[in-house]
Amino acid sequence: MPLAALTACAAAVLSLATARAQAAPVEVLHYWTSGGEAKSAQLLKKMLEEKGDTWVDFAVAGGGGGNAMTALKTRVVAGNPPAAAQIKGPAIQEWGDEGVLLPIDDVAKAGNWDHLLPPEIARIMKYKGQYVGAPVNVHRVNWLWINADALKRVNAQPPATWDDFFKVADALKKAGVTPVAIGGQPWQEAETFESVALGVGGPDFYKKAFVQLDQATLKSPTMVKALETFKRIKDYTDDGQVGRDWNMATAMVINGKAAMQFMGDWAKGEFTVAGKVPGKDYLCVAAPGSQKDFTFNVDSFVFFKVKTAGVEKGQKDMAGLLMSPAFQEAFNLNKGSIPVRQDVSLAKFDDCAKKSSADFKSAGANGGLVPSWAHDMLVSPAVEGAFYDVLGNYWSSKDETAQQAADKLAVAAKTN
C-alpha cells in the first residue's frame, strides 16, 4: 500500500478512535425493567450507540416509577442529575419550575412534533411553550385482560357491565380459579379504582372528580358506589397479593392461575414475550362500563442540564430517536402500547393495539379521552400520593365504609 494511503488510513483510524473516546456518556434513568419494557430499553440503547453516543443504564425497578423518582430527586439535589430521566405528566412542569431541564425545541421543530402529536399530549411535553420532553407512546389504562381458557371453562362472555363482571367472577371462583389477579401495591390498587370509577360514573363524573377535584363530586353517591364496587373486587383476589409486582400478577393470568387483571396495556408486552396470541390465548376488553372511554398514560423522557461536556449532543440524539418512526414502531410493538405519532402505520400491530388506536381517536372526539391520575398524568404528586393512601387503607380495612373513604378522598384532594 502506498505511503499516502497508509497515512490516510491511519488518520481515519485515529479519528474514529478519538471520536469514540470523546463520546460523552448519556446516563438514562428509567424503570423499564420487566420483559417487554426491558426489551424496549435495550433497543433504545442500541439505536443511541449507533449514533456514536454512550448509554449508561440507570434502571430502577418498580413498575409505578415511585422508586425511580426518589432516586432522581436525590441525584438532582446533590447537583448530579442523570442526562435523561423517564418523567411524565405534571412532574415535567414541576422540574421545569426548578430550572434544571434542557430545552429540546430545536429537535422538536426539526421533527415537526407539533404536527405529529395530539395537542393533549404536546401540551404535557412543553414547559412555557418549549418542548422539554419527548413522548414515546400512548398507553390505555382502562383495560381488562382475560385468560381465554378460563372464560371458556365457565362458559362466559367478557363482562361488559359490572353486574356481568361479578357474575363471571362468581362462576370462576366456584370453578376454583382466582377471578382477579392484582399486586398489593398502592399504584395497582389506585389504577384498579380509577377504571372502576370511570366505568361506574362515566367521563363527566371522572373529570369533575379528578380533573376539577370538585369536593361535592368526590363525596357524592356516585363516588360511594364506585368505592363499593372497587372494594367488592377484593373478594375475588388471592391472599398472596401483598407486595406482588404487576408483571407477576399478569403472569398469573398468562399461566391460568387467575382469570382477569385490570392493568394498562403494558401488560400486553408480557403476553407477547410469553408467546401468547390476542383473541386466542387472551382477550383485551375495556373495563366494564368504559367501552367508549379511554384513560391515557404517556411514557416520556426529559433531559437535564448536566456539567459534562458533550452530553447535550447525546441527549438531543436520544430525543430525536424517541420520536423517530422506527423507534415508535419497534418500541410500541414490544411495550404493548400504541405510537404517539399519528403517522406510524399499525400494519404490524395486533388487534388489541388497533382497537386501542381506534378507541383513542373516537374517545377524543366524543369527550371520553381522559388522563390517568393514577399514573402521574393529571394531579400533583402530593394529591396522587394522598389518594393512594386513602384507597390503599380502604382496600385493606375491614371496617371503613365507602362514604368514609369518599370523604377522605375529598380531604386528600386539598393536599399541597
Side-chain angles (χ1 to χ4, degrees):
M1 183 180 289
L3 180 60
L6 282 170
T7 302
C9 183
V13 171
L14 179 61
S15 175
L16 179 60
T18 301
R20 283 179 176 167
Q22 291 177 345
V26 181
E27 187 179 20
V28 182
L29 170 63
H30 66 92
Y31 44 95
W32 291 335
T33 56
S34 70
E37 296 176 319
K39 190 175 179 181
S40 299
Q42 288 303 307
L43 170 66
L44 182 58
K45 174 183 177 181
K46 179 176 180 290
M47 294 176 76
L48 189 66
E49 292 183 342
E50 286 173 352
K51 282 188 167 286
D53 304 306
T54 302
W55 172 289
V56 178
D57 201 53
F58 185 2
V60 181
N67 296 339
M69 294 306 97
T70 300
L72 176 63
K73 288 176 184 176
T74 301
R75 289 284 300 272
V76 176
V77 168
N80 182 31
Q86 188 181 347
I87 302 173
K88 57 189 177 181
I92 294 176
Q93 306 306 310
E94 293 189 356
W95 284 114
D97 288 341
E98 297 296 321
V100 294
L101 298 184
L102 175 75
I104 54 170
D105 228 28
D106 52 344
V107 179
K109 287 178 180 176
N112 201 20
W113 290 10
D114 275 343
H115 175 71
L116 294 170
L117 294 175
E120 296 93 338
I121 293 172
R123 282 194 296 269
I124 296 170
M125 297 300 123
K126 294 178 180 179
Y127 178 73
K128 293 186 176 179
Q130 277 196 317
Y131 279 97
V132 292
V136 295
N137 62 352
V138 176
H139 276 299
R140 187 181 196 175
V141 178
N142 60 313
W143 280 119
L144 178 65
W145 304 93
I146 305 175
N147 180 293
D149 286 340
L151 209 59
K152 289 177 185 175
R153 184 172 170 181
V154 295
N155 194 29
Q157 295 297 314
T161 68
W162 286 108
D163 285 343
D164 291 342
F165 175 84
F166 290 114
K167 287 176 184 176
V168 172
D170 280 332
L172 288 162
K173 196 171 184 179
K174 288 178 183 177
V177 178
T178 299
V180 179
I182 190 172
Q185 295 174 330
W187 73 267
Q188 293 189 58
E189 295 159 359
E191 179 189 306
T192 299
F193 173 71
E194 176 184 87
S195 291
V196 172
L198 181 63
V200 168
D204 289 342
F205 164 78
Y206 183 100
K207 291 172 187 176
K208 286 179 182 177
F210 304 117
V211 178
Q212 300 172 23
L213 299 178
D214 178 71
Q215 286 288 298
T217 304
L218 287 165
K219 294 185 284 188
S220 69
T222 303
M223 183 63 76
V224 171
K225 184 178 179 182
L227 285 160
E228 288 172 344
T229 305
F230 165 65
K231 186 65 170 285
R232 191 176 168 190
I233 293 171
K234 189 176 183 184
D235 290 338
Y236 301 95
T237 63
D238 71 316
D239 293 333
Q241 63 192 261
V242 178
R244 178 189 291 143
D245 286 335
W246 70 269
N247 53 311
M248 294 296 100
T250 305
M252 292 172 65
V253 179
I254 292 172
N255 298 329
K257 293 181 180 178
M260 300 180 284
Q261 181 188 23
F262 294 95
M263 187 56 57
D265 51 19
W266 47 91
K268 187 169 61 124
E270 302 299 303
F271 284 96
T272 301
V273 169
K276 302 300 182 181
V277 179
K280 177 187 174 185
D281 301 309
Y282 67 98
L283 308 174
C284 52
V285 299
S290 68
Q291 288 84 351
K292 295 182 179 180
D293 308 318
F294 191 116
T295 40
F296 70 83
N297 174 26
V298 175
D299 284 317
S300 56
F301 281 86
V302 301
F303 303 89
F304 285 83
K305 296 173 183 176
V306 297
K307 299 173 183 176
T308 307
V311 172
E312 186 172 325
K313 181 234 178 228
Q315 290 172 305
K316 292 189 173 180
D317 282 347
M318 180 175 166
L321 284 170
L322 290 168
M323 273 288 287
S324 68
F327 180 75
Q328 288 271 317
E329 179 184 78
F331 171 86
N332 286 289
L333 284 169
N334 286 337
K335 188 80 158 49
S337 44
I338 56 175
V340 70
R341 286 181 64 131
Q342 300 293 282
D343 63 342
V344 176
S345 169
L346 298 180
K348 295 181 182 178
F349 286 76
D350 61 31
D351 290 344
C352 292
K354 290 173 182 173
K355 177 174 173 52
S356 182
S357 180
D359 288 352
F360 177 71
K361 292 172 183 174
S362 64
N366 67 27
L369 183 64
V370 292
S372 168
W373 69 260
H375 285 287
D376 315 324
M377 297 303 301
L378 183 55
V379 298
S380 70
V383 171
E384 181 182 303
F387 280 172
Y388 276 16
D389 290 344
V390 171
L391 294 167
N393 290 335
Y394 174 62
W395 180 261
S396 60
S397 172
K398 293 181 180 179
D399 303 317
E400 187 173 340
T401 67
Q403 185 64 67
Q404 288 171 330
D407 292 343
K408 289 179 181 179
L409 283 176
V411 173
K414 299 178 181 178
T415 304
N416 295 320

